[in-house]
């Protein structure tokens, strides 16, 4: 396909197509990009390329919306079935942290910090293993872990529990 008419279609219709797709889905730019890729893959230009693009964008946006709804429903159902990250203690004391709040604060951490904390504390992985998973060094994985724990302590207003000192 000749690139000039294609570029002209992109210039003239891309913004309107994004606006059109936004009515149906949360990722309109992706849907429009997919439509232009489909157009570029055709052997010949449709008789009315603008109308063709709008139809393809509408169909793609509706499909994307349905898929997002299924994904959200699945995630909600999985969250109900899953074990919470934090379990409330049966006899909690004044220094204990609210599990729901701790879970929200953990979820609010930067992804690097959160994934290292979860992999180490709940997954039992060493920093070397985490580094391999993340494609980083073990010292970086440890820094993410320390930074994340520090942020959690600050956000939750807790300090480290004192550890037992071993006499020399």
């Amino acid at each position: 396909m000749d690139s000039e008419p294609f570029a002209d279609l992109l210039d003239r219709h891309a913004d309107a197509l994004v606006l059109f797709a936004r009515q149906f889905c949360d990722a309109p730019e992706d849907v429009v990009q997919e439509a232009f890729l489909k157009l570029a893959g055709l052997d010949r230009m449709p008789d009315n390329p603008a109308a063709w693009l709008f139809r393809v964008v509408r169909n793609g946006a509706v499909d994307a919306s349905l898929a997002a709804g299924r994904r959200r429903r699945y995630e909600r159902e999985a969250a109900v079935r899953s074990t919470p990250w934090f379990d409330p203690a049966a006899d909690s004391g004044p220094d204990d942290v609210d599990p729901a709040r701790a879970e929200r604060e953990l979820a609010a951490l930067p992804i690097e910090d959160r994934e290292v904390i979860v992999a180490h504390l709940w997954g039992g992985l060493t920093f070397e293993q985490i580094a391999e998973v993340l494609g980083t060094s073990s010292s970086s994985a440890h820094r993410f872990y320390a930074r994340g724990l520090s942020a959690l302590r600050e956000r939750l207003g807790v300090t480290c529990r004192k550890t037992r000192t071993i006499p020399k």
Side-chain angles (χ1 to χ4, degrees):
M1 179 180 310
D2 187 19
S3 63
E4 194 169 314
F6 188 79
D8 184 51
L9 282 168
L10 187 62
D11 290 339
R12 286 193 358 234
H13 299 291
D15 291 338
L17 288 165
V18 168
L19 185 61
F20 187 67
R22 188 168 281 129
Q23 300 175 82
F24 304 102
C25 71
D26 295 332
E29 294 85 359
D30 293 345
V31 172
V32 170
Q33 181 179 11
E34 288 293 323
F36 274 98
L37 288 173
K38 287 178 182 178
L39 180 63
L42 295 177
D43 292 334
R44 67 177 192 85
M45 185 71 77
D47 292 335
N48 188 338
W52 185 92
L53 281 166
F54 273 88
R55 182 171 45 89
V56 170
V57 164
R58 183 183 185 284
N59 292 344
V62 169
D63 288 348
S65 177
L66 292 172
R70 281 191 303 270
R71 186 173 44 258
R72 282 190 296 273
R73 187 174 55 255
Y74 170 76
E75 289 168 355
R76 274 194 309 275
E77 291 168 0
V80 168
R81 289 189 310 268
S82 70
T83 306
W85 283 349
F86 298 94
D87 290 326
D91 50 339
S92 58
D95 294 332
D96 289 341
V97 175
D98 172 40
R101 181 170 172 227
E103 190 166 346
R104 282 191 309 275
E105 295 298 344
L106 179 63
L109 289 177
I111 186 68
E112 301 88 4
D113 300 357
R114 184 174 62 243
E115 58 188 358
V116 171
I117 289 171
V118 171
H120 185 66
L121 294 180
W122 284 272
L125 297 181
T126 66
F127 292 113
E128 290 79 20
Q129 292 168 324
I130 295 169
E132 187 177 325
V133 169
L134 300 181
T136 189
S137 68
S138 60
S139 61
S140 290
H142 190 269
R143 274 194 308 278
F144 294 143
Y145 177 77
R147 181 178 69 189
L149 284 184
S150 176
L152 281 175
R153 287 184 191 114
E154 183 179 319
R155 291 175 182 187
L156 297 171
V158 295
T159 58
C160 279
R161 293 192 177 151
K162 292 186 178 181
T163 57
R164 193 178 74 188
T165 351
I166 302 172
K168 293 183 181 179

